[in-house]
Amino acid sequence: MTTDPLLLTGEVDDATARLLRTAATFDHADIAAASLLPGWTRGHVLTHLARNADGFVNLLTAARTGEQVPMYASAAARAADIEAGAGRPPDAHLDDLRRSADRFAEAVAAMPAEAWTATVDTPRGPRVAALLVWGRLRELEVHHVDLAAGHRPADWPEAFGHRLLHEVATDLAERGDAPPMVLRFDGSRHELVIGDRAGAPVVTGAAPELAAWLIGRSRGDVLTVTPDGPLPEPPEWI
């Protein structure tokens, strides 16, 4: 598993192509239909993905130039942009997704090697610029599922599912509100421990399915629990 930005650019390109193929099938009714995110239509999700690409361009620019360029002007501006763009016709969404993806790719290509070590301010806190390409890939794959248009966690590339699972499990292990659990995957050959292992239930399944459940994109119906009982309740993914 890698978060090397140059190695991940191909995965971002592939995820973008998959997203564009899905978006190209939408008509007006599809755009207005509900997504898996409460209160958001598919149009909201698509607009968010376009503005998210531009937000990452801002962070890459900050890393490259040393200027303080925020990802978004403000949380209110971000929300307003998403709301304003959600109701656009399908062609406008598709064009926006393509153009914003191209701007992101150009910003990545413009990064000198030393700029990847810069620290930038993101809504999740300070991050080294080398993690920004992974951040974009995560947004593309997770929100593609949120479109409720046939792309499921089981369709995530294996490497992506593993990276996401490790990232989320690591974050949960550092939080006080996560219930203890042992996560087993890859045919039970590997496991991740959250909290105190003693007495913790063992949750077993494929890495993408475990990751999707932990981030609230799956009810975990295909996972198994030992000893037999209900799945733990992970806290909200942030």
Side-chain angles (χ1 to χ4, degrees):
M1 294 179 295
T2 179
T3 53
D4 185 313
L6 300 183
L7 293 179
L8 287 179
T9 53
E11 293 188 39
V12 170
D13 291 343
D14 291 344
T16 299
R18 289 191 292 271
L19 174 72
L20 290 172
R21 286 195 295 271
T22 295
T25 68
F26 290 162
D27 58 21
H28 286 78
D30 294 325
I31 292 291
S35 74
L36 297 184
L37 295 176
W40 272 19
T41 65
R42 287 185 176 129
H44 286 88
V45 174
L46 294 177
T47 303
H48 163 63
L49 282 168
R51 299 292 71 77
N52 173 263
D54 288 337
F56 276 115
V57 169
N58 289 338
L59 294 178
L60 290 167
T61 301
R64 180 173 54 83
T65 65
E67 299 177 7
Q68 294 297 316
V69 184
M71 187 171 187
Y72 302 107
S74 67
R78 171 185 174 276
D81 285 343
I82 293 171
E83 194 62 41
R88 292 173 297 170
D91 287 350
H93 277 289
L94 196 58
D95 183 65
D96 192 14
L97 286 169
R98 285 175 175 151
R99 290 177 182 271
S100 60
D102 287 345
R103 289 191 291 270
F104 176 80
E106 291 166 1
V108 169
M111 287 282 284
E114 63 274 12
W116 292 113
T117 64
T119 298
V120 295
D121 291 325
T122 79
R124 293 182 175 216
R127 293 288 188 274
V128 65
L131 293 176
L132 296 178
V133 177
W134 160 248
R136 176 58 180 170
L137 178 61
R138 183 181 57 217
E139 289 288 310
L140 285 164
E141 290 289 3
V142 172
H143 287 308
H144 196 168
V145 170
D146 290 334
L147 288 172
H151 189 69
R152 302 165 300 168
D155 298 317
W156 287 339
E158 182 179 2
F160 173 80
H162 277 262
R163 276 195 297 268
L164 182 61
L165 175 61
H166 280 78
E167 179 182 70
V168 175
T170 299
D171 289 344
L172 289 177
E174 297 174 353
R175 293 175 58 173
D177 58 347
M181 65 184 91
V182 177
L183 307 172
R184 286 187 181 162
F185 54 101
D186 280 355
S188 299
R189 290 182 292 121
H190 301 289
E191 63 182 33
L192 297 167
V193 181
I194 298 172
D196 185 0
R197 184 190 188 101
V202 177
V203 184
T204 304
E209 296 293 349
L210 285 165
W213 166 64
L214 290 175
I215 66 172
R217 264 59 182 194
S218 166
R219 295 182 301 178
D221 294 340
V222 298
L223 304 177
T224 60
V225 186
T226 307
D228 189 32
L231 284 166
E233 295 186 11
E236 183 178 3
W237 184 48
I238 56 175

